[in-house]
Amino acid sequence: MKKKHIASLLTLFFLTLTPLAWGQQSASVETWKKEYEARIKGTLERRKKQKKENPQDVFYSRPDFVVYRPQVDENTLGDCYNDHFQVFDGPKGILFALTCQATCEGALDQHVTLFRSDDKGKTWSKPRVLAGPRTMNDDTPIASWGFPLVSKSGRIYVIYNQYQPGKVSTNRQHTGVMACIFSDDLGETWSAPEEIPIPRTSNDSSDPSIPPEWVVWQKPTRVGKNGTYIVGVTRYAAPEHHAKYRTVTEFIHFENIDEDPSPKELKLSWRMINDQALHVGVHCEEPAIVKLPDGRLFALMRTGIGCPCWSVSSDDGLTWTQPEKLLDKDGGTPFPHPVSPCPLYDWRGNEAASGLYFALIHNHFDPKKGPWQNRGPLYLIAGKYQEGARQPIWFTSEPRLFIDRPSGNSFYTSTTQVDGKTVLWYPDQKFYLLGKFIGEEWFEGVE
């Protein structure tokens, strides 16, 4: 009986964490509040206890940078949840960071936050809310998943998912319009938000009043033709389409950022949509893109089949190949991995096409269980470009332990170069915001 009771509790736990896998969320604000009441209370109690009893826990993963240690003060700003950590280079050597922040993920106070560092990441400003509510008592609709683009003149654009009250496809925090703001003074002041149209596809709700359900989870990078920004997109199928598949991967090209247009004048080209969208069974999402030395683009995506999958583009990201399982080498072994982030980066910089790459995986998957499994220890796999190979990047060295926390390792990460060294910026437990140098020691044994 005890084992059955534990199993039931675990099932309820995952129901709260992965509502997308179980059904449509209610658009009612009152229902929303009731759903999160116990979770918010429990989160606050747990995080306050953690800070008090283990103040050194922030250093558990041995970070080189500490961007933010949550205050856990629900009276000022919901900050127990820090995720979607996108650090980027601004003008004049300034580092900026965007995060999605709330009391807990998906709560009514979810907002997009900006940090700034003027000393190469050594110290950071306090968080500043760019979009969404500032407290649980603020009626402003939630805003989520902000991502940056910087024009050649230094204009900073931030694009994010803006929830529309009462309009839910499957998940509230993913359903929304694409909103955009910009700053011409290093983030001191920001324009009023404007909406960027999203093309409707066969995966969206047949009700045109319900916005698409989408997430951009990595920074756009200048790997397109003539340095065009490209980014991968996860689009979620509306409940009426769940029999087909729940998520697919698409791509956006930002065609005129360097002309400093207003948000309404931004030219976005959406690629691989509708029947062309990349999909593998039920889940095919959160693509990360790198450039190969031969000029092609390589994308890595998380799936529900027990391992990540990859795709390549030979035409600057206009079209992409059917996804294939990520192996250690051609004809080799897949890397076991559940539905969990599996970011991929160029070790020498986002647009370097250096031939050396690294990714993060859990290195475990139980085929007897469902696709959503424990996000326990996280491993770094280092790889190298292989000319003429079917899978262009081989990861032939042994996976190396990055963090051994038994759970909670859901790393929505980014990278920058600091003094010529690669820094991985990561949200430890979706709580602390940290950075760590990825040095050559991680590439020992790579062939």
Side-chain angles (χ1 to χ4, degrees):
M1 290 296 293
K2 289 184 177 180
K3 288 184 178 180
K4 289 183 179 179
H5 181 63
I6 292 172
S8 298
L9 289 175
L10 286 173
T11 299
L12 288 172
F13 175 73
F14 281 109
L15 279 169
T16 64
L17 289 183
T18 58
L20 188 66
W22 308 99
Q24 186 176 22
Q25 292 180 338
S26 171
S28 164
V29 172
E30 290 306 312
T31 300
W32 195 343
K33 287 181 179 178
K34 289 179 181 178
E35 285 179 0
Y36 274 82
E37 193 173 317
R39 187 174 170 188
I40 288 171
K41 181 180 179 181
T43 297
L44 289 169
E45 290 176 351
R46 178 167 53 91
R47 292 307 188 190
K48 287 178 180 179
K49 182 179 179 181
Q50 178 180 352
K51 284 198 69 177
K52 181 179 180 180
E53 296 182 357
N54 192 3
Q56 297 303 307
D57 185 61
V58 65
F59 302 110
Y60 185 88
S61 61
R62 299 179 181 177
D64 297 299
F65 301 87
V66 176
V67 177
Y68 187 62
R69 197 179 322 195
Q71 300 301 301
V72 195
D73 181 1
E74 67 273 27
N75 296 315
T76 57
L77 183 70
D79 72 346
C80 293
Y81 166 71
N82 290 279
D83 200 8
H84 201 251
F85 189 25
Q86 304 208 344
V87 180
F88 63 99
D89 294 300
K92 300 183 179 181
I94 299 171
L95 278 177
F96 292 92
L98 287 170
T99 65
C100 190
Q101 194 177 71
T103 304
C104 58
E105 184 173 357
L108 276 160
D109 63 344
Q110 190 151 295
H111 52 273
V112 175
T113 304
L114 181 73
F115 298 83
R116 169 175 166 163
S117 174
D118 295 305
D119 55 10
K120 300 182 181 181
K122 294 177 183 178
T123 60
W124 291 81
S125 68
K126 293 181 179 180
R128 176 181 177 182
V129 178
L130 294 186
R134 286 165 171 77
T135 70
M136 284 297 294
N137 299 318
D138 188 343
D139 292 331
T140 303
I142 67 167
S144 311
W145 325 129
F147 61 92
L149 303 99
V150 181
S151 75
K152 289 182 179 178
S153 74
R155 171 173 284 188
I156 302 171
Y157 294 88
V158 171
I159 299 175
Y160 56 93
N161 185 313
Q162 178 60 68
Y163 175 71
Q164 303 297 290
K167 302 296 182 181
V168 180
S169 181
T170 302
N171 189 300
R172 305 178 191 102
Q173 61 181 333
H174 301 151
T175 307
V177 301
M178 182 176 283
C180 180
I181 57 178
F182 67 87
S183 174
D184 288 324
D185 56 8
L186 303 177
E188 292 298 320
T189 61
W190 292 86
S191 67
E194 296 180 27
E195 182 180 339
I196 301 173
I198 300 176
R200 297 192 73 85
T201 74
S202 55
N203 286 299
D204 298 328
S205 172
S206 57
D207 180 351
S209 72
I210 297 178
E213 188 170 355
W214 61 278
V215 171
V216 169
W217 89 292
Q218 287 287 299
K219 292 186 301 184
T221 51
R222 290 183 178 272
V223 293
K225 187 175 182 180
N226 298 320
T228 300
Y229 276 111
I230 301 179
V231 75
V233 188
T234 299
R235 190 181 297 245
Y236 297 78
E240 62 198 81
H241 307 307
H242 277 188
K244 283 175 74 174
Y245 40 71
R246 288 202 177 96
T247 61
V248 298
T249 285
E250 305 170 355
F251 300 88
I252 305 174
H253 295 233
F254 297 87
E255 306 289 357
N256 66 335
I257 283 289
D258 292 323
E259 297 173 14
D260 293 336
S262 68
K264 288 183 178 180
E265 295 172 329
L266 283 170
K267 294 180 181 178
L268 277 62
S269 297
W270 290 71
R271 302 292 178 175
M272 306 302 289
I273 65 174
N274 293 309
D275 292 340
Q276 293 183 323
L278 301 185
H279 63 94
V280 181
V282 176
H283 305 281
C284 182
E285 54 204 41
E286 298 183 356
I289 305 170
V290 294
K291 193 167 188 176
L292 302 172
D294 62 10
R296 291 182 296 165
L297 302 181
F298 181 96
L300 188 66
M301 297 153 283
R302 78 179 193 180
T303 74
I305 64 173
C307 66
C309 285
W310 61 272
S311 173
V312 294
S313 173
S314 300
D315 55 9
D316 299 312
L318 300 181
T319 61
W320 294 79
T321 60
Q322 178 63 27
E324 300 182 38
K325 293 181 179 180
L326 183 72
L327 310 178
D328 56 354
K329 61 182 178 180
D330 283 358
T333 304
F335 288 100
H337 187 73
V339 178
S340 183
C342 52
L344 170 73
Y345 301 105
D346 190 310
W347 186 41
R348 299 298 188 187
N350 292 327
E351 292 91 19
S354 71
L356 291 172
Y357 307 92
F358 67 94
L360 296 171
I361 61 167
H362 289 299
N363 205 33
H364 74 80
F365 184 81
D366 185 346
K368 296 179 182 179
K369 300 179 181 179
W372 300 91
Q373 298 185 17
N374 178 45
R375 293 172 172 179
L378 199 62
Y379 294 80
L380 187 148
I381 54 174
K384 187 176 182 180
Y385 170 71
Q386 302 291 325
E387 185 176 359
R390 179 174 181 81
Q391 179 180 298
I393 304 173
W394 288 8
F395 299 88
T396 53
S397 61
E398 286 295 315
R400 302 188 64 179
L401 185 64
F402 186 85
I403 186 170
D404 64 352
R405 290 192 188 276
S407 62
N409 297 309
S410 184
F411 276 11
Y412 288 86
T413 53
S414 57
T415 60
T416 64
Q417 296 285 302
V418 175
D419 291 331
K421 299 178 181 179
T422 294
V423 178
L424 175 71
W425 305 95
Y426 58 100
D428 185 6
Q429 305 173 86
K430 295 188 178 181
F431 186 57
Y432 308 117
L433 297 177
L434 309 174
K436 190 180 185 72
F437 286 118
I438 304 299
E440 60 183 8
E441 68 275 8
W442 293 96
F443 285 79
E444 291 177 3
V446 173
E447 298 178 358

